[in-house]
Amino acid sequence: MENLITLVNKLQRACTALGDHGEESTLPTLWDSLPSIAVVGGQSSGKSSVLESIVGKDFLPRGSGIVTRRPLVLQLHKIDEGREYAEFMHQPRKRFTDFAAVRKEIADETDRETGRSKQISSVPIHLSIYSPNVVNLTLIDLPGLTKVAVDGQSESIVMDIENMPNCIILAVSPANQDLATSDAIKISREVDPKGERTFGVLTKIDLMDKGTDAVDILEGKSYRLQFPWVGVVNRSQADINKSVDMIAARRREREYFANSPDYKHLAHRMGSEHLGKMMSKHLETVIKARIPGLQSLVSKSIAELESELSRLGKPVAADAGGKLYMIMEICRIFDGIYKEHLDGIRPGGDKIYNVFDNQLPAALKRLQFDKQLSMENVRKLITEADGYQPHLIAPEQGYRRLIESSLVTIRGPAEAAVDAVHSILKELVHKAISETSELKQYPTLRVELNSSENYLKDIEKGGNPTHSIFDRYNESYLRRIGTTVLSYVTMVCGSLRNSIPKSVVYCQVREAKRCLLDYFFAELGKKEAKQLAALLNEDPAVMERRTSLAKRLELYRSAQAEIDAVA
């Protein structure tokens, strides 16, 4: 069972080391889910004296106002023998055997985080105490409670215990004040209205007015909790001034309850020694019950963190060679996605076939050759071509003029098809860029790849599909000439309907697939180290987020290993 408290100790220390303090954050928090005992109490409630009584050492800072301005995670370790000593997590190699020095270090470390103002910080101080006079126990001493903000503090410094469902509340209240006005009870009532995780501690019983006692409270009649109240008698201010030994103070406390007519029937469950043992046993029970839930939480959080880290991508390499390799790999990924679009593995490439199967045939069909080969136009062109020299067999120049004037109209649909495919290739570049997840973290590189459409402008557009097709051979001939030319032009249209797509695919689509990556690499080769680094500039918020996620993932993986070892 002692291993369970040791487990939580390790996890709490790991949380602090890796920045998980349970504060509001977009990151999952393990700190708030760990079983713990939070000690709460108003100013002058005797909270510090209770902690010192449990430890058996005088080690906490004292003074007016709120002295505790950072949570103190107090981890007690029972040793069989040897000299008592203390260790701070922020000074791992230093042992403190002088507990006055421990008090000073707590105050100094608080000031290092908060300055000398009254500001409250959520970053805890971890203090481990090793002694034969303690039980294995971990307590979190929260800053003193107050409803009125003082200079340098936020509006309220009541710690948000509501966010710590596995937190046991040790509510310290003075017996010489009305329990209804107790700050600790008010807080416990807010966060634990049924009293299911609250232990009540009543201090200053020996300072109550003559003729009054705390029996009704200690017996649970005045204010009932699920667990029995524990009364303690701390050292008086005079004892503190005289540096009365804590062990002697414990003995006097036992004698007080054993010899008091009012409390001797409760003496077996009174005093700081009993309080420490009771809390240690209860904490072990709670930890054991929460282990399955912690395992589930840790596994779920690891999966979520890994998923988000994967979406954010890998961190940028430090050296120039690593940067170049990273850029080339991203270019290869982009090029692969682009080719998948062209090959039909991803959607978009089918639009090219739509140009060939629908747009081009429809445009060719709309051409009006009959107007071009009307009797009037045939007569005009034949006459103009032959001039005053009569033809011997057929009007060759006239035929040429008629064929050329008809076929030149095919240039429009052919070039429209080339331009349409060119637009689709550019569109697929943008689509592939948007689908390359690795580019999302590098806006500058994304812009650079977007400029690759300029390279597509350089790809040969297939030439003139109407070039070099004219090398083929008064009222009675005109109709036959018109009919002959129309048959020839119709035949050429049919041929071009098949040859234009082949030319476009060969000169545009094939070139885009074959040469785009080479073009990228050639452009990268022209860049200097600083230019390469600029391509991998990231949003600082993304970099910070990745670092935070990596640290939190390290925490959860460490927690998973520790929990599995104990479970």
Side-chain angles (χ1 to χ4, degrees), residues 271-530:
S272 54
E273 279 186 286
H274 171 76
L275 176 64
K277 292 175 182 177
M278 179 181 68
M279 297 309 298
S280 177
K281 185 176 181 180
H282 184 73
L283 181 59
E284 289 170 349
T285 303
V286 171
I287 294 171
K288 185 177 181 181
R290 298 294 190 273
I291 288 290
L294 281 175
Q295 287 178 306
S296 176
L297 171 70
V298 168
S299 297
K300 179 184 175 184
S301 298
I302 286 175
E304 291 173 352
L305 290 166
E306 287 178 337
S307 175
E308 186 173 355
L309 273 172
S310 176
R311 288 198 302 271
L312 291 179
K314 298 177 181 178
V316 179
D319 60 298
K323 287 183 172 68
L324 178 61
Y325 177 79
M326 180 176 283
I327 294 172
M328 292 175 71
E329 282 300 299
I330 293 174
C331 288
R332 284 194 183 97
I333 293 169
F334 157 77
D335 187 62
I337 293 173
Y338 183 63
K339 287 175 179 174
E340 286 178 0
H341 280 292
L342 293 176
D343 293 338
I345 299 172
R346 293 174 184 251
D350 55 306
K351 292 182 180 179
I352 295 175
Y353 296 104
N354 183 58
V355 173
F356 300 150
D357 294 343
N358 297 300
Q359 178 183 322
L360 179 62
L364 291 174
K365 192 174 182 179
R366 287 194 297 269
L367 295 177
Q368 298 178 339
F369 295 121
D370 54 339
K371 283 187 178 181
Q372 202 71 27
L373 298 173
S374 66
M375 293 299 294
E376 182 182 346
N377 203 39
V378 169
R379 179 184 290 110
K380 179 175 179 288
L381 288 176
I382 291 292
T383 304
E384 289 176 351
D386 282 359
Y388 63 88
Q389 293 182 353
H391 54 271
L392 296 176
I393 299 175
E396 182 182 347
Q397 293 298 325
Y399 268 109
R400 285 181 178 275
R401 291 278 183 89
L402 283 171
I403 292 171
E404 184 177 341
S405 65
S406 298
L407 291 186
V408 76
T409 60
I410 300 175
R411 182 188 295 273
E415 290 187 344
V418 170
D419 290 338
V421 171
H422 185 249
S423 296
I424 292 169
L425 292 175
K426 286 167 60 177
E427 178 187 328
L428 293 181
V429 166
H430 296 303
K431 196 171 181 64
I433 286 173
S434 68
E435 293 175 6
T436 305
S437 58
E438 289 79 4
L439 285 172
K440 292 178 181 177
Q441 67 187 96
Y442 307 119
T444 308
L445 180 57
R446 186 185 179 101
V447 171
E448 185 79 8
L449 285 182
N450 260 317
S451 67
S452 63
E453 65 178 50
N454 296 327
Y455 169 68
L456 288 172
K457 292 177 183 176
D458 299 332
I459 292 177
E460 186 181 350
K461 291 188 178 181
N464 184 352
T466 62
H467 185 63
S468 300
I469 61 173
F470 307 116
D471 296 328
R472 297 285 182 266
Y473 315 132
N474 316 0
E475 187 113 292
S476 59
Y477 286 120
L478 293 179
R479 191 176 304 277
R480 187 168 56 181
I481 288 172
T483 302
T484 303
V485 171
L486 180 61
S487 297
Y488 179 74
V489 169
T490 302
M491 180 191 70
V492 171
C493 268
S495 175
L496 288 176
R497 178 173 175 175
N498 294 322
S499 63
I500 288 173
K502 291 177 181 177
S503 177
V504 168
V505 168
Y506 185 83
C507 296
Q508 284 185 279
V509 179
R510 176 177 168 274
E511 282 297 295
K513 287 179 64 176
R514 188 173 66 88
C515 300
L516 195 58
L517 189 61
D518 292 339
Y519 169 77
F520 290 148
F521 288 170
E523 290 298 306
L524 285 175
K526 300 174 186 177
K527 297 186 182 296
E528 297 180 357
K530 287 185 178 179

Side-chain angles (χ1 to χ4, degrees), residues 49-268:
S49 295
V50 170
L51 289 172
E52 290 181 335
S53 294
I54 292 174
V55 174
K57 284 292 178 183
D58 190 355
F59 68 98
L60 291 172
R62 297 182 180 276
S64 59
I66 299 177
V67 178
T68 307
R69 290 183 283 116
R70 288 176 62 183
L72 175 66
V73 180
L74 182 60
Q75 299 178 347
L76 306 182
H77 306 266
K78 184 175 180 62
I79 57 177
D80 294 332
E81 56 184 16
R83 190 175 182 185
E84 300 163 308
Y85 65 93
E87 289 180 343
F88 287 95
M89 182 176 164
H90 61 272
Q91 293 192 2
R93 295 178 180 82
K94 184 175 181 180
R95 284 189 177 185
F96 290 78
T97 54
D98 180 359
F99 282 80
V102 172
R103 181 190 301 116
K104 184 178 184 303
E105 182 58 30
I106 293 173
D108 291 345
E109 179 61 16
T110 298
D111 289 341
R112 277 192 282 270
E113 178 68 28
T114 65
R116 294 191 176 275
S117 68
K118 297 294 183 181
Q119 189 67 43
I120 300 297
S121 170
S122 64
V123 181
I125 299 172
H126 282 257
L127 172 63
S128 295
I129 294 179
Y130 300 80
S131 170
N133 301 315
V134 299
V135 291
N136 291 303
L137 181 62
T138 299
L139 302 164
I140 302 177
D141 181 18
L142 297 179
L145 300 172
T146 178
K147 292 295 184 180
V148 180
V150 296
D151 292 341
Q153 291 180 351
S154 54
E155 201 55 34
S156 171
I157 58 169
V158 176
M159 300 301 289
D160 196 6
I161 302 173
E162 287 177 324
N163 292 335
M164 302 168 70
N166 295 327
C167 176
I168 304 158
I169 304 166
L170 194 62
V172 180
S173 304
N176 59 350
Q177 293 180 16
D178 187 356
L179 197 63
T181 64
S182 166
D183 290 320
I185 293 299
K186 284 181 182 178
I187 296 304
S188 67
R189 194 177 287 154
E190 288 177 19
V191 299
D192 181 31
K194 296 182 180 179
E196 295 174 340
R197 54 187 178 115
T198 300
F199 284 81
V201 178
L202 204 61
T203 64
K204 304 186 179 181
I205 293 176
D206 55 326
L207 301 181
M208 295 182 70
D209 294 337
K210 194 172 183 180
T212 61
D213 60 61
V215 173
D216 285 349
I217 297 175
L218 295 175
E219 291 181 346
K221 296 176 182 177
S222 295
Y223 187 81
R224 190 168 189 82
L225 296 172
Q226 183 172 320
F227 304 101
W229 282 80
V230 177
V232 298
V233 174
N234 298 324
R235 293 181 301 166
S236 65
Q237 188 60 49
D239 291 337
I240 294 172
N241 294 340
K242 294 176 182 177
S243 300
V244 172
D245 180 73
M246 294 295 297
I247 303 303
R250 282 184 184 178
R251 185 176 62 252
R252 287 168 56 178
E253 181 185 42
R254 289 195 300 270
E255 292 171 353
Y256 173 86
F257 286 111
N259 298 328
S260 169
D262 295 324
Y263 306 117
K264 62 183 178 181
H265 66 293
L266 302 171
H268 64 286

